[in-house]
Amino acid sequence: MTCRFAYRRYRLPFKAPVRTAHGPWTTREGVLLRLEAEDGKIGWGEAAPVPGFGTETVDEIEAACRSLGERLESDSKIAGPTCFRNALAAAQEYLHEESGKPSEALPVAALLPAGHAALAAVVPRLEAGFRTFKWKVGVGDQGDEMALLDDLSAKLPEGARLRLDANGAWDRRRAERWLEICADRPVEFVEQPAPRGNDDLLRGLAADFPTPIALDESLAGDGDIARWLDSGWPGVFVVKPALIAEVAGALARLSAARSAVVFSSALETAVGARAALRSAFAWAGPPRALGFGVWPLFADARFDGPSAAPFLRWEDVRRIDPEAAWNAAN
Ligand code: MG
């Protein structure tokens, strides 16, 4: 089936700057893709590279879109950079999406602010029903943060758990001290304790401590996932579907290896998030809390997905209207 292809580049300020290892991130840039099939069906995709993850630039995506022209077969595989291919595949899949998915619900992890503010922030989120919390560490003084971990742990009821995300901030000595104390705290995993590129250190930490280690920045694109799988990585894979060219293939390999997978937002708009969440709902492995408790995220709410709640249902995902974001991106 032949489709008409169109794209729109966007530049969207976040409601508040996002803290990253490379400094504050104020504006999300990416490209929305639209396919219109002969039968009138419309498919949507979003190419949303994360600066610093090293996939491609938005200029490269725009160039790939321009060279595609205005017509495209609905099942053709197109070469190009990672996020661009992801977006195109998502739009093609969208054309075949079935409406009758089970109305299952998946838990969502609540984001806590870094530092002391986490203590006050956790209370209303617990009351709302969240049981998994993500807390950024490696931001302030280590001693203060370790004391805060105890205070935070004391507030959690039975069964609630923390995900600590260090964003690669630690060296070996710091990572080891943290993992020692995490062993008897309610910590589900420690995410990216050492920077991308420190594979031996990450493998050593995973072998030496009981708290699982999760890879995030170490996974940028399909090649990284394949490499860590081949090396028998025993920890968690934080999968940002937006940063994978062939999501279905990568997830099939992760599933075959019975890997622990946490689906996570790349701070894309609702268009890309809808496609990413479709993968999360199709995942057959044990469900883990989704890393999609990010909305409201943008200064212009028309680009947001559903506001963070303790559970997300497939109906909530299907209710996301990519056309509204497309029109707003005009
Ligand atoms: Mg992370």
Side-chain angles (χ1 to χ4, degrees), residues 104-117:
E104 66 180 307
L106 291 174
V108 175
L111 296 178
L112 297 177
H116 206 267

Side-chain angles (χ1 to χ4, degrees), residues 2-77:
T2 306
C3 297
R4 273 176 54 201
F5 170 72
Y7 64 94
R8 283 182 185 168
R9 183 169 177 162
Y10 65 77
R11 204 168 179 282
L12 300 171
F14 290 120
K15 258 172 100 78
V18 176
R19 199 195 296 239
T20 76
H22 314 277
W25 184 16
T26 58
T27 309
R28 189 48 162 128
E29 288 191 76
V31 181
L32 301 181
L33 271 53
R34 181 183 188 276
L35 288 181
E36 185 175 347
E38 286 161 341
D39 63 3
K41 279 201 184 131
I42 298 175
W44 306 94
E46 175 177 357
V50 175
F53 268 70
T55 55
E56 73 243 54
T57 65
V58 181
D59 284 341
E60 285 167 330
I61 294 165
E62 201 178 4
C65 289
R66 210 179 302 122
S67 68
L68 206 53
E70 283 176 15
R71 304 226 161 246
L72 173 77
E73 287 307 309
S74 62
D75 56 354
S76 57
K77 286 221 174 207

Side-chain angles (χ1 to χ4, degrees), residues 80-149:
T82 300
C83 297
F84 165 74
R85 278 161 61 202
N86 169 293
L88 207 51
Q92 289 171 325
E93 257 176 60
Y94 203 115
L95 295 174
H96 310 294
E97 185 178 284
E98 288 162 27
S99 54
K101 260 259 184 178
S103 60
E104 66 180 307
L106 291 174
V108 175
L111 296 178
L112 297 177
H116 206 267
L119 287 181
V122 77
V123 176
R125 288 167 176 78
L126 275 169
E127 281 167 6
F130 287 101
R131 287 298 176 266
T132 303
F133 300 91
K134 173 156 167 161
W135 187 43
K136 295 260 180 195
V137 287
V139 176
D141 175 78
Q142 177 170 249
D144 291 348
E145 284 186 344
M146 286 180 169
L148 280 170
L149 173 61

Side-chain angles (χ1 to χ4, degrees), residues 53 134 136 165-167 191-192 216-217 238 240 264:
F53 268 70
K134 173 156 167 161
K136 295 260 180 195
D165 189 353
N167 289 115
E191 191 169 319
Q192 203 71 40
D216 181 6
E217 284 87 345
V238 175
K240 294 181 162 81
S264 183

